[in-house]
Amino acid sequence: MSDSVQKLAGLRNSMMENNIDAYIIPNSDPHLGENITDFWRMNRWLTGFTGSASTVVVTQSFAALWTDSRYFVQAEKQLSGSGFELMKIIPSEKSDSLEWIVANLESGQKIGLNGRTFSIGRLRKLEGLAKEKKILIETECDLISELWTDRPVVSGSQAFDHPIEFCGKERSVKISEVRAEMKRLNIDYHLLTSADDIMWLLNIRGNDLKYSPLLLSFAIIDDTQILLFADESKIPFKLAREFDNLGIILLPYEEIAGMISTLQAESSILLTPSATSAELYNSVPKGMKILEEISIPSRMKAVKNKGEIDSIGKAMIKDGVALTRFFFWIEHNLDSVPMSELSLSEKLTHFRSEQENYLGASFSAIIAYKEHGALPHYSATSETDSVIGSDGILLVDSGGQYLDGTTDITRTIAIGRPTERQKIDFTLVLKGNINLAMAKFPSGTKGSQLDILARKALWEQGLNFGHGTGHGVGFCLNVHEGPQSISPAATDGKISIEAGMLISDEPAIYRQGEYGIRIENLILCYEDEETEFGKFLKFDTVSLCYIDKSLIDFSLLDKKEIDWLNSYHSEVYEKLSPYLSKEEKEWLKEKTSSF
Amino acid sequence: MSDSVQKLAGLRNSMMENNIDAYIIPNSDPHLGENITDFWRMNRWLTGFTGSASTVVVTQSFAALWTDSRYFVQAEKQLSGSGFELMKIIPSEKSDSLEWIVANLESGQKIGLNGRTFSIGRLRKLEGLAKEKKILIETECDLISELWTDRPVVSGSQAFDHPIEFCGKERSVKISEVRAEMKRLNIDYHLLTSADDIMWLLNIRGNDLKYSPLLLSFAIIDDTQILLFADESKIPFKLAREFDNLGIILLPYEEIAGMISTLQAESSILLTPSATSAELYNSVPKGMKILEEISIPSRMKAVKNKGEIDSIGKAMIKDGVALTRFFFWIEHNLDSVPMSELSLSEKLTHFRSEQENYLGASFSAIIAYKEHGALPHYSATSETDSVIGSDGILLVDSGGQYLDGTTDITRTIAIGRPTERQKIDFTLVLKGNINLAMAKFPSGTKGSQLDILARKALWEQGLNFGHGTGHGVGFCLNVHEGPQSISPAATDGKISIEAGMLISDEPAIYRQGEYGIRIENLILCYEDEETEFGKFLKFDTVSLCYIDKSLIDFSLLDKKEIDWLNSYHSEVYEKLSPYLSKEEKEWLKEKTSSF
């Protein structure tokens, strides 16, 4: 009997004891972000599935895990024999876990969930569905803590000051700006539940998560003070003193809900439904006016300041140097050194870690050889690890956290001689990447309007890719950090692409069972000209690494695209070569030579 | 004292007597569509403004009319001395009339409006705004009928059968299909408030409106009968008998609200909030389950059937022949016959009216010479009428209603020799038109994603146009008929462009005080190929009229664009020439010759 089967039996017992007919577990922590600590990986513990997106639903007769297309193959394998069925989330179909629950329970039955890790936005959706069928919901129901006896503790070392030389703006200034915006919105309190908002606002970084330099924390801002809820022991003395001077009061992490409940009822609070747990939302005193919006720091930090933009330029050079050395090393050692996806991943980490102010990877690198490249979110394990041979396509999607910025870049290279179709595919993807990078558009344009620029060349050949074209990127914070995005389905109709926003540009093509091709650069939006027809914006491609010319069919590029590539390559060489050895430099000269 | 000033005084008296602090009048009738009869043109009667989009708000100290950028110049002129201020609706600003009212009233004050001509969707918005400030709303408040003593009566001649040879599908089949969809949605009743939905469903057309062949009517569908609320005298005997056989029961137009109130409370009804008046919505029995969605006929009729598509092809030929004769006539008579915008409009109507099965214009034609072309919705009047001289740009946007379809086409031609800048502008607009027409895209793509194709060439030069790129077009119905559109601001995020949809493709550039250029064709979506990446769609340009080559700077077109133009021109010649005289044919041969 597998471990999961036993745990499932335990959970079902507990459900019976607590009169719960269906128990639902999202893959979330109390901050409801993408990255969570091992302490909160309840679904991994329960089912054995290691992917980052999942919802588990258990009834007495049914147990399943919902995940999206990125993880179908992996989940199929990991859930086998676990007692949990795989439920595939397919955007065009009614395949949501909440809808399933409501459809499969009877009137009067009860759903249980832990309101600490369930957003109020999602709870409302569940309530809306359940209401008509008169299904009950118990939102203070933690059945896992008791069963999970060897649960890992939340660790993480101390937080630290993020110096002004990197982040470009004093915390006191940011706080004033947020308060000015609160005043404009006529808001007394602002609840911050996303740790990245707090890191940005206070110019600190932490070590609580693997890929994002966050100190897990909550905050409440009013017009005179900021209550910061975090592990006190992680705030260094010097920082604590400075906080004190700025009216930032440190309180225990666990006291956030209690503190919210003591706020003045005759006042107003701004919070974000998708990032606020049901527990915290329900702590808001009755009668208090709640403004539900994306947080002010989320909007502000999406637009990088001048100092951040300068820092990003430095981070991009360091990241480009590391990548150049990595690809140089592969090409010069392919015949002599055995290489695999995992060993290459270590090698790449090694080159990045040589760079100044490097903190760690910004996500689990995707080093995907041949057919593995067709899985957009493939992550090699010792079981899947492929040995690199003398031919085939290698996809490398990776990024680093530096004090001077967060990087995320994908390059696809040919090992040996590529086929004609590989070259055509690569060139169509490259056309998409270039055409988005070259876009000029009026202020007010949304990412969903621009998305087609990265797809048009593919669509014309009956090709496409199943994910968005671009996600926002944080500054020494989350590698996926909105609200901006470039995607067919704009996540928020109100968000325009603004000057200062950093976004990825990553069209792709996936040939199942054969190979995957993705070309990803980060692009930074800036103001171009202002005419009688309005203000126009453009992008600057800030990622710096050569694009494999052996994969380009130049006959498919038009003059503007070739000019762009030549100019990009010459910039890559100019900016990276001062940091390279003589051999690396010569090699890069050739890789970036004009067509 | 102007007429409007007196009427305003009368309205204010009536407001005082009725304890109304702010009275609001939208430019709507009980069907809430774009086209209304003179009976409902309350704002024109009250203020003198003749534009088609307006909202009037009156308080004791303030009176104003809100309209959008199409009408700023016209409204400025027509409102002068009327006692009404012009309030400009600017999409990016908080310039909505409802917001103004709520901001300018005090708690406890009362807003009055006539719930017969106010959609429940818009009323909810007003209620949402007013609630917090505790402002009251009286929704059964008609202060106009009493004041408007010489109000025109609703006239219109008889409705008529729209034969199957044109519309391609029997009414009995359409009714079954709608009922099947109601069953799928688990809906007992379907309320139809838009007359175009009813015309389509019952294969009839009417004569109640100037530009759309509609019989003003409401309908309620259930699984055995259809209640049709219309002027009985307008239904010919033969049609009435056939309706009777199909379970279509004719009832007086005015009885719709009363009938809704008698529906079974333990049932469900589908209605469309934006097209349902507050009066009708409030007639729905308490407890009845209301599904708020776009109507089933609206969705169905947006996708043209095979018979309609064949008919459209015929209508396009007739329309193209009329336009060709019109432009031929202009070119051959410019030196000898005096021409003005108004006389050309008559001439164009003459050529269209020679065509078989022509019913009338599909909208008020825009014949705009020189600087008038820079007003996107210019409509010449005897006061503004321009005499056509020996140079300058002439913009002609017009359309016809035929039994075999509705047309809408814009051509811009040069009188004399165009300037270099005019040629560049025209060519950039043409590039936009062609690139949208050439689009290939996967099933599920929305109009807002495609919009950029028509703008990219303009944006690259810092140019833009302030309206959407394309609107849906009805079939012998409304010239503006959604739900589909191609626009930066998708009006409904759920609507994809589907095979069978007819849409306009009309990029433009407006040089204020100089000239306007717009090139508009109707494009019909059809299925292209299906690949492992999904089903792909394309457009066929169905409007048929030459594009003025004297305005094209061919050096700005790429090979694909030139190929498209040559192929389009050869199709125009092939399809139109059989119906033209020898001289017209020779002339068109030259106009459509390959580059």
Side-chain angles (χ1 to χ4, degrees):
Chain A
M1 193 154 110
S2 109
D3 205 26
S4 290
V5 173
Q6 270 178 324
K7 290 170 185 166
L8 180 55
L11 177 58
R12 282 182 169 146
N13 272 338
S14 175
M15 284 166 62
M16 288 225 270
E17 284 164 19
N18 290 277
N19 283 320
I20 298 295
D21 299 292
Y23 194 64
I24 178 163
I25 319 172
N27 191 57
S28 307
D29 72 2
H31 304 275
L32 302 153
E34 189 182 8
N35 241 325
I36 62 176
T37 61
D38 288 347
F39 178 85
W40 288 108
R41 292 194 189 282
M42 298 179 280
N43 289 346
R44 187 174 71 183
W45 169 78
L46 183 62
T47 70
F49 172 67
T50 57
S52 71
S54 65
T55 302
V56 161
V57 171
V58 174
T59 69
Q60 290 303 332
S61 60
F62 178 81
L65 178 143
W66 273 255
T67 191
D68 61 62
S69 62
R70 294 176 293 173
Y71 295 112
F72 288 167
V73 178
Q74 175 183 338
E76 199 106 44
K77 205 172 277 182
Q78 294 179 331
L79 294 180
S80 157
S82 70
F84 288 87
E85 237 175 85
L86 165 61
M87 300 290 277
K88 297 180 176 180
I89 301 175
I90 296 161
S92 59
E93 292 174 24
K94 281 208 164 187
S95 51
D96 185 71
S97 52
L98 304 188
E99 278 160 12
W100 185 94
I101 296 181
V102 172
N104 286 277
L105 287 193
E106 310 271 307
S107 175
Q109 288 196 298
K110 198 192 273 179
I111 298 167
L113 58 88
N114 183 350
R116 282 193 73 192
T117 65
F118 216 87
S119 78
I120 184 66
R122 197 131 169 89
L123 178 60
R124 278 182 196 153
K125 183 178 173 183
L126 181 61
E127 287 172 341
L129 294 165
K131 193 178 165 193
E132 201 184 317
K133 267 187 98 172
K134 300 203 172 75
I135 291 167
L136 311 171
I137 304 171
E138 164 62 54
T139 64
E140 291 176 27
C141 181
D142 173 10
L143 304 182
I144 299 297
S145 294
E146 201 179 283
L147 299 170
W148 193 355
T149 47
D150 57 344
R151 192 166 185 169
V153 291
V154 182
S155 63
S157 53
Q158 285 218 312
F160 55 92
D161 181 73
H162 194 212
I164 185 78
E165 61 180 289
F166 299 113
C167 67
K169 195 180 271 188
E170 298 287 358
R171 53 176 73 89
S172 59
V173 177
K174 291 180 178 176
I175 293 168
S176 299
E177 288 175 357
V178 168
R179 286 199 173 120
E181 182 64 6
M182 287 170 62
K183 200 163 180 185
R184 195 183 71 80
L185 295 169
N186 209 7
I187 286 301
D188 301 310
Y189 300 103
H190 189 354
L191 172 64
L192 299 183
T193 51
S194 297
D196 45 290
D197 281 355
I198 298 166
M199 298 301 102
W200 170 85
L201 180 68
L202 302 183
N203 287 348
I204 58 171
R205 296 297 183 267
N207 292 295
D208 290 352
L209 292 170
K210 197 164 177 189
Y211 299 116
S212 296
L214 305 180
L215 168 70
L216 291 175
S217 47
F218 299 100
I220 301 172
I221 314 173
D222 68 20
D223 62 348
T224 56
Q225 58 185 24
I226 296 178
L227 306 182
L228 174 63
F229 301 83
D231 181 345
E232 240 178 323
S233 71
K234 290 184 183 167
I235 307 284
F237 177 71
K238 197 175 157 230
L239 206 53
R241 208 174 43 189
E242 204 182 320
F243 281 1
D244 202 41
N245 290 335
L246 290 170
I248 301 166
I249 296 161
L250 204 53
L251 293 167
Y253 180 82
E254 300 292 337
E255 286 186 10
I256 175 71
M259 182 55 78
I260 290 173
S261 67
T262 68
L263 296 176
Q264 272 204 302
E266 297 79 37
S267 63
S268 54
I269 189 165
L270 172 58
L271 54 78
T272 310
S274 62
T276 303
S277 69
E279 183 199 28
L280 295 194
Y281 187 89
N282 292 331
S283 305
V284 175
K286 294 281 160 282
M288 197 164 178
K289 187 183 155 187
I290 301 177
L291 181 64
E292 303 192 351
E293 282 284 359
I294 178 171
S295 75
I296 297 169
S298 284
R299 271 187 173 273
M300 285 187 173
K301 79 188 193 315
V303 174
K304 273 53 177 173
N305 68 43
K306 176 76 179 62
E308 287 170 328
I309 290 172
D310 289 345
S311 293
I312 288 167
K314 289 175 199 154
M316 292 297 161
I317 291 175
K318 292 189 285 188
D319 213 53
V321 167
L323 273 173
T324 303
R325 289 195 176 134
F326 173 69
F327 287 119
F328 175 90
W329 182 86
I330 292 178
E331 202 168 303
H332 289 81
N333 294 280
L334 194 59
D335 296 336
S336 52
V337 180
M339 296 178 192
S340 75
E341 293 166 337
L342 281 180
S343 78
L344 285 180
S345 184
E346 275 172 42
K347 198 76 198 172
L348 180 50
T349 302
H350 162 74
F351 285 118
R352 275 212 174 85
S353 66
E354 288 180 339
Q355 299 298 319
E356 203 182 2
N357 298 322
Y358 175 73
L359 301 177
S362 58
F363 59 98
S364 174
I366 300 164
I367 315 267
Y369 183 53
K370 289 190 172 172
E371 70 271 21
H372 288 162
L375 309 169
H377 288 251
Y378 173 75
S379 184
T381 64
S382 53
E383 287 152 16
T384 66
D385 194 23
S386 276
V387 170
I388 312 300
S390 58
D391 68 342
I393 297 287
L394 180 68
L395 186 155
V396 178
D397 185 355
S398 67
Q401 295 286 7
Y402 302 86
L403 287 179
D404 28 27
T406 302
T407 67
D408 182 2
I409 181 166
T410 309
R411 285 295 181 269
T412 304
I413 63 165
I415 307 284
R417 205 185 150 90
T419 67
E420 275 317 297
R421 200 181 60 163
Q422 287 170 342
K423 288 177 71 170
I424 293 170
D425 282 351
F426 185 90
T427 310
L428 295 173
V429 171
L430 178 60
K431 283 172 88 79
N433 180 283
I434 294 176
N435 278 287
L436 176 56
M438 290 196 300
K440 175 171 169 176
F441 52 93
S443 176
T445 301
K446 292 173 185 61
S448 55
Q449 292 173 254
L450 299 176
D451 178 80
I452 191 175
L453 299 178
R455 293 180 200 266
K456 190 167 175 279
L458 291 165
W459 285 359
E460 280 168 7
Q461 306 304 320
L463 308 173
N464 201 3
F465 55 97
H467 52 72
T469 295
H471 55 82
V473 177
F475 177 78
C476 188
L477 282 173
N478 298 314
V479 72
H480 295 155
E481 194 173 287
Q484 75 275 25
S485 72
I486 294 176
S487 157
T491 42
D492 186 337
K494 284 189 251 172
I495 303 300
S496 303
I497 304 296
E498 289 176 51
M501 285 182 169
L502 187 65
I503 313 169
S504 73
D505 170 6
E506 48 180 314
I509 178 164
Y510 306 105
R511 297 278 188 187
Q512 293 311 316
E514 299 183 61
Y515 56 85
I517 289 168
R518 188 162 65 246
I519 303 173
E520 176 189 23
N521 287 321
L522 299 191
I523 54 180
L524 183 71
C525 181
Y526 68 92
E527 284 183 16
D528 189 46
E529 60 174 336
E530 182 156 6
T531 74
E532 59 177 302
F533 297 93
K535 197 180 276 179
F536 284 81
L537 304 172
K538 288 199 80 170
F539 290 120
D540 181 25
T541 295
V542 293
S543 300
L544 295 168
C545 182
Y546 78 95
I547 289 164
D548 186 357
K549 283 186 290 176
S550 81
L551 273 165
I552 300 176
D553 179 342
F554 279 91
S555 74
L556 299 177
L557 297 184
D558 66 24
K559 188 177 174 306
K560 273 188 196 169
E561 291 160 350
I562 292 174
D563 287 349
W564 184 92
L565 185 68
N566 286 339
S567 148
Y568 175 69
H569 269 158
S570 100
E571 185 189 353
V572 167
Y573 183 79
E574 290 306 316
K575 288 193 168 164
L576 301 187
S577 57
Y579 306 94
L580 298 175
S581 72
K582 187 160 170 287
E583 293 72 26
E584 289 164 345
K585 212 183 287 194
E586 270 165 25
W587 179 83
L588 184 63
K589 186 90 198 167
E590 157 54 27
K591 290 288 179 195
T592 57
S593 66
S594 280
F595 171 76
Chain B
M1 194 154 110
S2 109
D3 205 27
S4 290
V5 172
Q6 269 178 325
K7 291 169 185 167
L8 179 55
L11 177 58
R12 280 182 169 146
N13 270 339
S14 175
M15 285 166 62
M16 288 225 270
E17 282 164 19
N18 290 277
N19 283 321
I20 297 297
D21 299 292
Y23 194 63
I24 178 165
I25 319 171
N27 191 57
S28 307
D29 72 3
H31 305 274
L32 301 155
E34 189 182 7
N35 240 325
I36 62 176
T37 61
D38 288 348
F39 179 85
W40 288 108
R41 292 194 188 281
M42 297 178 281
N43 288 346
R44 187 174 71 182
W45 169 78
L46 183 61
T47 70
F49 173 67
T50 57
S52 71
S54 64
T55 302
V56 161
V57 171
V58 174
T59 68
Q60 290 302 332
S61 60
F62 179 81
L65 178 143
W66 273 254
T67 192
D68 61 60
S69 61
R70 295 175 294 173
Y71 295 112
F72 288 167
V73 178
Q74 176 184 338
E76 199 106 46
K77 205 173 276 184
Q78 294 180 329
L79 294 180
S80 157
S82 70
F84 288 86
E85 237 175 85
L86 165 61
M87 299 291 277
K88 297 181 175 180
I89 301 175
I90 296 160
S92 60
E93 293 175 24
K94 281 210 163 186
S95 50
D96 185 71
S97 51
L98 305 188
E99 278 160 11
W100 185 93
I101 296 181
V102 172
N104 287 276
L105 289 193
E106 310 272 307
S107 173
Q109 288 196 299
K110 198 192 274 179
I111 298 168
L113 57 89
N114 183 351
R116 284 193 73 193
T117 65
F118 216 86
S119 78
I120 184 67
R122 196 133 169 88
L123 178 60
R124 279 181 195 152
K125 182 176 175 187
L126 180 61
E127 286 172 341
L129 292 166
K131 192 178 165 193
E132 201 184 317
K133 268 186 96 172
K134 302 203 171 74
I135 291 167
L136 311 171
I137 304 171
E138 165 62 54
T139 64
E140 291 176 27
C141 181
D142 172 10
L143 303 182
I144 298 298
S145 295
E146 201 180 284
L147 299 171
W148 193 355
T149 47
D150 57 344
R151 193 167 186 169
V153 290
V154 182
S155 64
S157 53
Q158 285 217 314
F160 55 92
D161 180 73
H162 194 212
I164 186 79
E165 61 180 287
F166 299 113
C167 68
K169 193 180 271 187
E170 297 287 357
R171 54 176 72 89
S172 59
V173 178
K174 291 180 179 176
I175 293 168
S176 299
E177 288 176 358
V178 169
R179 285 198 174 120
E181 181 65 7
M182 286 171 62
K183 201 164 180 182
R184 196 184 70 82
L185 294 170
N186 209 6
I187 287 300
D188 302 309
Y189 300 104
H190 189 355
L191 173 63
L192 300 183
T193 50
S194 298
D196 46 290
D197 280 356
I198 298 167
M199 300 301 102
W200 170 85
L201 180 68
L202 302 184
N203 287 349
I204 58 171
R205 295 297 183 266
N207 292 293
D208 291 352
L209 292 170
K210 196 165 179 187
Y211 299 115
S212 296
L214 305 179
L215 168 70
L216 291 175
S217 48
F218 299 100
I220 301 173
I221 314 172
D222 67 20
D223 61 347
T224 56
Q225 58 185 23
I226 296 179
L227 306 182
L228 174 64
F229 301 83
D231 180 345
E232 243 179 319
S233 71
K234 289 184 184 167
I235 307 283
F237 177 70
K238 198 177 156 229
L239 205 53
R241 208 173 44 189
E242 202 182 323
F243 281 1
D244 202 40
N245 290 336
L246 290 170
I248 300 167
I249 297 161
L250 203 54
L251 293 167
Y253 180 82
E254 299 291 338
E255 286 185 10
I256 175 70
M259 182 56 76
I260 291 174
S261 68
T262 68
L263 297 177
Q264 272 202 303
E266 296 78 39
S267 63
S268 55
I269 188 164
L270 171 59
L271 54 77
T272 311
S274 62
T276 303
S277 69
E279 183 199 29
L280 296 193
Y281 187 89
N282 291 331
S283 305
V284 174
K286 293 281 160 282
M288 197 164 179
K289 189 183 155 188
I290 301 177
L291 181 64
E292 303 192 351
E293 281 286 356
I294 178 170
S295 75
I296 297 170
S298 284
R299 272 186 173 273
M300 286 188 172
K301 77 186 191 320
V303 175
K304 271 54 179 175
N305 68 43
K306 177 76 177 61
E308 287 171 328
I309 289 172
D310 290 345
S311 294
I312 288 167
K314 289 174 199 156
M316 292 298 161
I317 290 174
K318 294 188 284 188
D319 214 53
V321 166
L323 273 173
T324 303
R325 289 194 176 135
F326 173 70
F327 287 119
F328 175 89
W329 183 87
I330 292 179
E331 202 167 303
H332 289 81
N333 293 280
L334 195 59
D335 296 336
S336 52
V337 180
M339 295 178 193
S340 75
E341 292 166 338
L342 282 179
S343 77
L344 285 180
S345 184
E346 275 173 41
K347 197 76 198 174
L348 180 50
T349 302
H350 163 74
F351 285 117
R352 275 211 174 85
S353 66
E354 288 179 339
Q355 299 298 318
E356 204 183 2
N357 298 322
Y358 175 73
L359 301 177
S362 58
F363 59 97
S364 174
I366 299 164
I367 314 268
Y369 183 52
K370 290 191 172 173
E371 71 271 21
H372 287 163
L375 309 170
H377 287 251
Y378 173 75
S379 184
T381 64
S382 53
E383 287 152 16
T384 65
D385 194 23
S386 276
V387 170
I388 311 301
S390 59
D391 69 342
I393 297 287
L394 179 69
L395 186 153
V396 178
D397 185 355
S398 66
Q401 294 286 6
Y402 302 85
L403 287 178
D404 28 27
T406 301
T407 66
D408 182 2
I409 181 167
T410 309
R411 286 296 179 269
T412 304
I413 63 165
I415 308 284
R417 203 187 151 87
T419 66
E420 275 316 297
R421 200 181 62 165
Q422 287 168 344
K423 287 177 72 170
I424 293 170
D425 282 351
F426 185 90
T427 311
L428 295 173
V429 171
L430 178 61
K431 283 172 87 81
N433 180 283
I434 294 176
N435 277 288
L436 176 57
M438 289 196 299
K440 175 171 170 178
F441 52 93
S443 176
T445 300
K446 293 174 183 62
S448 55
Q449 291 174 254
L450 299 175
D451 178 80
I452 191 175
L453 299 178
R455 294 179 201 267
K456 192 168 172 277
L458 290 165
W459 285 359
E460 279 168 7
Q461 307 304 320
L463 308 173
N464 202 2
F465 55 98
H467 52 72
T469 294
H471 55 82
V473 177
F475 177 77
C476 189
L477 282 174
N478 298 315
V479 72
H480 296 154
E481 194 173 288
Q484 75 274 26
S485 72
I486 295 176
S487 156
T491 42
D492 186 336
K494 283 189 252 173
I495 303 301
S496 303
I497 304 296
E498 289 176 52
M501 285 182 169
L502 186 64
I503 313 169
S504 72
D505 170 6
E506 47 181 314
I509 178 164
Y510 305 105
R511 297 278 188 186
Q512 293 312 317
E514 299 182 61
Y515 56 84
I517 289 168
R518 187 162 67 246
I519 303 173
E520 176 188 23
N521 287 321
L522 299 192
I523 54 180
L524 183 71
C525 182
Y526 68 91
E527 283 182 16
D528 190 47
E529 61 175 335
E530 182 156 7
T531 73
E532 59 177 302
F533 297 93
K535 197 179 278 179
F536 284 80
L537 304 171
K538 288 199 80 170
F539 291 119
D540 181 24
T541 296
V542 293
S543 300
L544 295 168
C545 182
Y546 79 95
I547 289 165
D548 187 356
K549 284 185 291 176
S550 80
L551 272 165
I552 300 176
D553 178 343
F554 280 91
S555 73
L556 298 178
L557 296 183
D558 67 24
K559 188 175 174 309
K560 274 188 196 170
E561 292 160 348
I562 291 174
D563 287 349
W564 183 92
L565 185 67
N566 286 339
S567 149
Y568 175 69
H569 269 157
S570 100
E571 185 189 352
V572 167
Y573 183 79
E574 290 307 316
K575 288 193 167 165
L576 301 187
S577 57
Y579 305 95
L580 298 176
S581 71
K582 187 161 170 287
E583 292 74 25
E584 288 164 347
K585 212 183 287 195
E586 271 166 25
W587 179 82
L588 184 62
K589 186 90 198 165
E590 157 53 27
K591 290 289 180 195
T592 57
S593 66
S594 280
F595 172 75

